Amino acid sequence: MSKKALSEADICDQFITPALHQAGWKRSQIRREYSFTAGQMIVRGTMVARGAQKRADYVLFHHTNHPIAVIEAKDNKHSVRAGIQQGLGYADTLGTPFVFSSNGDAFLLHDRTGTYGAIEQEIPLDSFPSPEDLWQRYLQWQQVSADQVDLLTSQFYTKAGGKLPRYYQQLAVNRTIEAIAKGQRRCLLVMATGAGKTYTVFNIIWRLWKTKTVKRGLFLADRNSLVDQTITNDFEPFGDKKTKLTRRLLEENGRINTAYEVYLGLYQAIIGNEGQDNLYEKFDRDFFDLVVIDECHRGSAAEDSSWRQVLAYFTSAIQVGLTATPKETKYVSNIDYFGKPVYTYSLRQGIEDGFLAPFKVVRVNLDKDLEGWQPEAGEVDDDGQLIDDRLYNLKDYDRTIKFNRRTELVAQYVSDFLHSGDPMRKTIVFCEDIDHASRMRQALMNVEANRALVQADHRYVVQITGDEKEGKAQLDHFINPNEAYPVIATTSKLMTTGVDAQTCHIIVLDRRILSLTEFKQIIGRGARLRPDYGKNFFIILDFRGATRLFQDEDWDGPPIQDEDFGQGAQAEDGPGPVGGDQEELPPGQTDGDEPGGAGIKYTVSRQEFRVARERVSYYNTNGELTTESLRDYTRRTVTAAYTSLNQFLTQWNGADRKAAILRELAERGVLIEALEAMVGPGYDPFDLVCHVAFDQPPLTRRERAEQVKKRDVFTQYGETARLVLAGLLEKYADQGITSIESTQILQLDPFADLGTPVELVRSFGGKRQYQAALTELKQMLYGGQSA
């Protein structure tokens, strides 16, 4: 057989794989058809589908979890260089330094290390580089000394049946290890909320500890529940070598127990207050070789922060900062302290890869929010106070003036939205301050639609704020996926960060948010993807216009240090910006829950509010928020793949299995269920696509089946075969084309009553003749008069 007649898979089997084995690559080092993303979740209405996974033909590993090369294969009708740009795209994502393309005649090598004479060169099929050759070039490129090779080749922690690192976790660990191997003492790792930062940092510590690069490590977090979960879950493999750092480790003589090798602590707990000594000062300054700071944007970015005291004390240790949102303002800077991130995995990338949940935004504008509110001359508030005669707007609402009817309307809207689907969907309502969160809780309690649920369990709505002991006690229950209650949590700032609310379906924004860092943290509360709990996306209900920050060019871009950082003395000597409009808080101002209430001057209960407009936006496959309708989106997506109706008809009629085309359309975001909900039930996917994308009048499946029956075209077959074909037509009319393409169809009723699958296929003369009859049936459904 001519090489040009071979498929891509044949080229791989007969030419590329043998060439790799000849070059010394072991089977364990070769990953064929390597899928490294999950496929983006595509949302339309309440319908969800998975997009296509990214899959490289080959990824080569020098050692476990260290990919070093990508090979993109093509059949021999293509040139040797045909796959190189596709391979480069995969290499950008996977971080591999070498890229190859092949059509079975030779290899085209693209070198990203600069260790070859040319960036791209063609090499013979029998001259593929060995694993050791590429590895030595990699070490030369990284400028790593020979004594650090053991660290670079150290293994991730694995156990039978345990989880394996995703590609970006693998890359984040490797990049951090590489930086440390090259002598970098401070490293910043930026990973979106829900991307598995704790699992990632565990493997960093594990590899440094197992190779004895570090002997003792300190992990600091800002939430007690996070420390406890980390000890129990991700850090469990450290066994009795780990402990929680608390004052219980102090011995009677005042010295601290230094018998452990990995300490995990709450940074607030190791800093002395109310006359206590700093707990961290009980250790010698050089006791820890490694200090890891989780959520490092919250404290260590500021020179006078509590965390910086700890970092300054253990200054000789390697220091790794973790955050989803590095803070870069004129007052504080993560980059100034840690340097540029060694690796960044953004929310957008996580959504595109299908590892994080996409979202849709419902922007709700109330009339007085848009217009503002001005009292009439001489108007007084509920307490008889004369209201200052000026225009009040969202800057003032629930800060200077509160409108009880506004709070009630927001509570009613949120409740109606919940009850339009599953009312038990976990929801966080972010309010202006603690007082507002308290009033919102009561308003939600009093919504009539919630009455039965509140009576069944009063924890249907809870207030979780810093001052609420009972509410804070419910936080762990709220974030536990296996606990139904609480359902709705009203909060101010307590839940903006460090709260792993995996099954949070709805985020309500009823507070003005001016800080991009805070906005990212809040959005991150919904970013976890948990299909096993029915969570494939999350919804943002925005009553304050906060989602305008999605338009900020820095929303999901790389962190860049503020050009004004350190330029003025205001951060140290001056008061900094005050009031409600500052972009970021200067040193000395808290970012915790604000009590509120005290600043309220007026309460106006009589003023009515109404919903003026609503707008729904979707996070599309290009990483943009769009208000595009389902019809327009489908038309644009289908015509991008099929430029004309004739091309679509040709592809459809030429496909052996229509399910393959439907799967490709779903991967592009064309959801047949959503089209059916829009057009109506009973239509063939073929008709739905043709109707919406090409303005063709649709036929129902029943109409198509009846047209075939009227043509009486089964006369050439025997009685049993005719009954089978009639049954297939009926199945098509009831369930659609994919049902009759299933290999299991002949095992189901009514076919089981006619005979076994083998007997039914034999009634056509054999398997080939049965397949030919099925193909003819599909052609009659979609061809000729019925098309």
Side-chain angles (χ1 to χ4, degrees), residues 276-342:
Q276 292 180 320
D277 294 335
N278 288 326
L279 187 60
Y280 64 86
E281 291 181 333
K282 301 295 182 180
F283 295 99
D284 292 338
R285 287 181 175 270
D286 60 355
F287 182 79
F288 292 110
D289 310 294
L290 172 70
V291 179
V292 177
I293 309 96
D294 193 22
E295 304 289 0
C296 66
H297 66 280
R298 288 180 60 81
S300 58
E303 288 187 22
D304 62 350
S305 73
S306 300
W307 287 16
R308 286 287 280 270
Q309 297 175 34
V310 180
L311 297 177
Y313 186 80
F314 297 116
T315 189
S316 63
I318 297 166
Q319 298 177 355
V320 177
L322 303 175
T323 181
T325 54
K327 184 171 280 190
E328 299 301 326
T329 75
K330 66 174 70 175
Y331 305 110
V332 293
S333 172
N334 284 122
I335 289 176
D336 179 68
Y337 185 82
F338 288 104
K340 293 181 179 180
V342 294

Side-chain angles (χ1 to χ4, degrees), residues 192-334:
T193 300
K197 292 193 297 293
T198 310
Y199 171 76
T200 300
V201 79
F202 159 71
N203 271 293
I204 293 171
I205 299 172
W206 178 263
R207 289 176 62 180
L208 292 169
W209 182 68
K210 291 294 283 186
T211 57
K212 301 189 182 335
T213 304
V214 301
K215 295 179 181 178
R216 301 183 188 92
L218 173 63
F219 175 86
L220 293 176
D222 69 339
R223 288 285 188 271
N224 201 44
S225 59
L226 178 60
V227 174
D228 292 340
Q229 290 169 15
T230 301
I231 290 173
T232 305
N233 299 327
D234 287 319
F235 279 46
E236 187 275 332
F238 285 116
D240 59 5
K241 301 296 184 183
K242 69 179 184 307
T243 189
K244 186 174 182 179
L245 178 55
T246 68
R247 295 189 181 272
R248 284 180 294 180
L249 292 180
L250 288 173
E251 298 170 352
E252 290 184 3
N253 59 10
R255 296 188 177 185
I256 198 161
N257 186 339
T258 59
Y260 299 94
E261 297 180 28
V262 178
Y263 292 75
L264 298 92
L266 188 68
Y267 83 89
Q268 299 97 321
I270 69 170
I271 295 172
N273 51 58
E274 299 180 357
Q276 292 180 320
D277 294 335
N278 288 326
L279 187 60
Y280 64 86
E281 291 181 333
K282 301 295 182 180
F283 295 99
D284 292 338
R285 287 181 175 270
D286 60 355
F287 182 79
F288 292 110
D289 310 294
L290 172 70
V291 179
V292 177
I293 309 96
D294 193 22
E295 304 289 0
C296 66
H297 66 280
R298 288 180 60 81
S300 58
E303 288 187 22
D304 62 350
S305 73
S306 300
W307 287 16
R308 286 287 280 270
Q309 297 175 34
V310 180
L311 297 177
Y313 186 80
F314 297 116
T315 189
S316 63
I318 297 166
Q319 298 177 355
V320 177
L322 303 175
T323 181
T325 54
K327 184 171 280 190
E328 299 301 326
T329 75
K330 66 174 70 175
Y331 305 110
V332 293
S333 172
N334 284 122

